[in-house]
């Protein structure tokens, strides 16, 4: 049954009268109630913030460069424990063209505590990235490349665009009338606040809307679904000089135990960084000390000791 404007006004008036009664009969309970609402309101109104940006490729249905903005957002709940699924929300893909370059941008948000815990743990960070990529594949029927690298910039596109993309998903999905039907009645509010001041009803948004489960806004992916631990291999990076001490080239030796073929190695080189991914076992991303000539770069794999040697002449 829909609530008329007059009926809604009556409920609001009754609610304020209830708060007045609570302030007189239980000032401490009233203070806790107001502080809780202010705290939850601040969290719900907070905008997502960019954390890092990674670049990969969409392979199917159409090959294209993909940028994924990983953001932190207090509106996304943290997992209940280390063994519980990790909640995240994924924004709508946005296609952009800059000069001759066409690419897609997708925004993904985690709870701030989740991203902060992974900031200094490369394994956890890689798991969160893999979770985000898996969720994108399932939600949009994309096939993504398993190769990616973290960009030097924190976000692709403007912050305003990202906020509108992520926050618009939840704003569009919240219906005021549905919200009013799900809220507690005034009688339930009165009994819960009077009998147990530490337990207050959710007045700003019901919990099912905050978590997003009711409208499938937030996906939960268990970290146990990703079983492979991708390691950073041992490596040696050095600059080779000529007899006049002039720098000639950068040489990188990477030890890859258990790898017996160069065909398992995926190598991407730019002028100032390098990415090596090997059969979902190893991943190494390095910023190079000096600009290199990518066209003259060569790679050699030594089977006897499972070592990859990359020679990169300097520009």
């Amino acid at each position: 049954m829909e609530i008329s404007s007059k009926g809604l006004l009556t409920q609001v008036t009754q609610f304020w009268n209830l708060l007045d009664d609570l302030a007189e009969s239980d000032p401490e309970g009233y203070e806790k109630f107001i502080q809780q609402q202010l705290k939850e309101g601040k969290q719900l109104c907070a905008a997502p913030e960019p954390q890092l940006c990674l670049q990969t490729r969409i392979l199917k249905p159409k090959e294209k460069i993909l940028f994924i903005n990983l953001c932190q957002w207090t509106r996304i709940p943290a997992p209940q424990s280390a063994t519980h699924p990790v909640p995240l929300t994924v924004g709508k893909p946005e296609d952009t063209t800059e000069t001759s370059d066409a690419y897609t941008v997708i925004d993904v948000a985690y709870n701030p505590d989740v991203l902060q815990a992974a900031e200094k743990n490369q394994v956890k960070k890689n798991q969160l990235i893999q979770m985000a990529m898996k969720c994108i594949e399932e939600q949009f029927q994309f096939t993504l490349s398993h190769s990616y690298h973290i960009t030097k910039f924190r976000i692709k596109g403007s912050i305003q665009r990202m906020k509108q993309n992520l926050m618009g998903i939840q704003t569009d999905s919240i219906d005021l009338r549905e919200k009013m039907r799900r809220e507690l009645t005034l009688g339930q509010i009165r009994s819960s606040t009077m009998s147990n001041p530490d337990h207050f009803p959710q007045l700003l948004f019901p919990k099912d809307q905050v978590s997003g489960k009711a409208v499938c806004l937030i996906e939960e992916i268990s970290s146990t679904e990703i079983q492979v631990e991708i390691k950073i291999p041992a490596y040696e990076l050095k600059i080779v000089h000529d007899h006049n001490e002039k720098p000639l080239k950068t040489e990188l030796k990477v030890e890859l135990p258990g790898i017996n073929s160069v065909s398992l190695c995926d190598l991407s080189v730019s002028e100032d960084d390098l990415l090596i991914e090997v059969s979902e076992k190893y991943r190494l991303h390095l910023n190079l000390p000096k600009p290199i000539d990518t066209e003259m770069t060569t790679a050699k794999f030594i089977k006897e000791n499972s070592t990859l040697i990359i020679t990169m002449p300097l520009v």
Side-chain angles (χ1 to χ4, degrees), residues 202-313:
Q202 303 297 318
L203 295 179
L204 294 176
F205 286 93
K207 286 187 176 180
D208 60 345
Q209 291 181 4
V210 174
S211 69
K213 292 179 181 177
V215 287
C216 299
L217 298 178
I218 296 176
E219 186 77 15
E220 291 191 349
I221 298 182
S222 175
S223 57
T224 58
E225 294 179 13
I226 300 176
Q227 301 293 337
V228 179
E229 179 180 346
I230 299 178
K231 300 178 181 179
I232 300 176
Y235 66 91
E236 178 186 359
L237 180 68
K238 65 180 181 180
I239 296 179
V240 179
H241 300 77
D242 64 10
H243 62 282
N244 294 321
E245 294 301 315
K246 178 182 178 181
L248 291 178
K249 58 186 178 182
T250 298
E251 186 175 89
L252 174 65
K253 293 183 180 180
V254 185
E255 298 177 8
L256 303 170
I259 304 301
N260 55 16
S261 174
V262 70
S263 63
L264 301 175
C265 304
D266 188 0
L267 173 63
S268 300
V269 181
S270 73
E271 187 177 284
D272 54 12
D273 73 341
L274 171 147
L275 174 66
I276 301 172
E277 291 188 309
V278 186
S279 188
E280 297 187 352
K281 291 185 179 181
Y282 301 102
R283 185 178 189 277
L284 177 65
H285 179 244
L286 296 175
N287 292 318
L288 300 175
K290 293 181 178 294
I292 59 118
D293 187 341
T294 57
E295 294 185 359
M296 298 300 294
T297 295
T298 60
K300 179 174 65 174
F301 186 77
I302 302 175
K303 290 185 178 181
E304 288 75 12
N305 55 9
S306 298
T307 300
L308 180 65
I309 301 177
I310 303 169
T311 304
M312 299 164 280

Side-chain angles (χ1 to χ4, degrees), residues 54 70 110 125-133 148 150:
L54 58 102
L70 287 191
Y110 285 99
K125 181 184 290 187
N126 185 67
Q127 285 187 338
L128 292 182
I129 291 172
Q130 295 292 341
M131 288 181 194
M133 293 173 69
Y148 70 86
I150 297 175

Side-chain angles (χ1 to χ4, degrees), residues 46-114:
E49 299 178 3
Q51 184 78 7
L52 62 89
C53 176
L54 58 102
Q55 180 178 339
T56 183
R57 299 191 312 278
I58 299 174
L59 301 180
K60 295 179 181 179
K62 181 180 180 180
E63 187 164 353
K64 188 184 295 187
I65 296 173
L66 172 65
F67 291 97
I68 302 174
N69 294 322
L70 287 191
C71 309
Q72 58 178 10
W73 198 8
T74 53
R75 191 176 294 187
I76 308 301
Q80 298 178 31
S81 71
T83 59
H84 280 77
V86 179
L88 70 157
T89 189
V90 179
K92 300 174 183 177
E94 295 190 358
D95 296 322
T96 306
T97 301
E98 290 182 358
T99 62
S100 60
D101 296 327
Y103 59 86
T104 298
V105 178
I106 297 179
D107 306 301
V108 178
Y110 285 99
N111 181 273
D113 293 341
V114 173

Side-chain angles (χ1 to χ4, degrees), residues 137-168:
E137 287 185 316
E138 293 181 351
Q139 188 162 331
F140 303 114
Q141 285 75 54
F142 288 165
T143 299
L144 304 184
S145 167
H146 293 291
S147 175
Y148 70 86
H149 73 271
I150 297 175
T151 65
K152 294 182 179 180
F153 44 86
R154 296 176 62 189
I155 185 171
K156 186 67 173 178
S158 70
I159 293 180
Q160 184 63 28
R161 180 212 57 79
M162 175 270 292
K163 290 180 179 179
Q164 290 176 348
N165 191 359
L166 288 175
M167 300 183 76

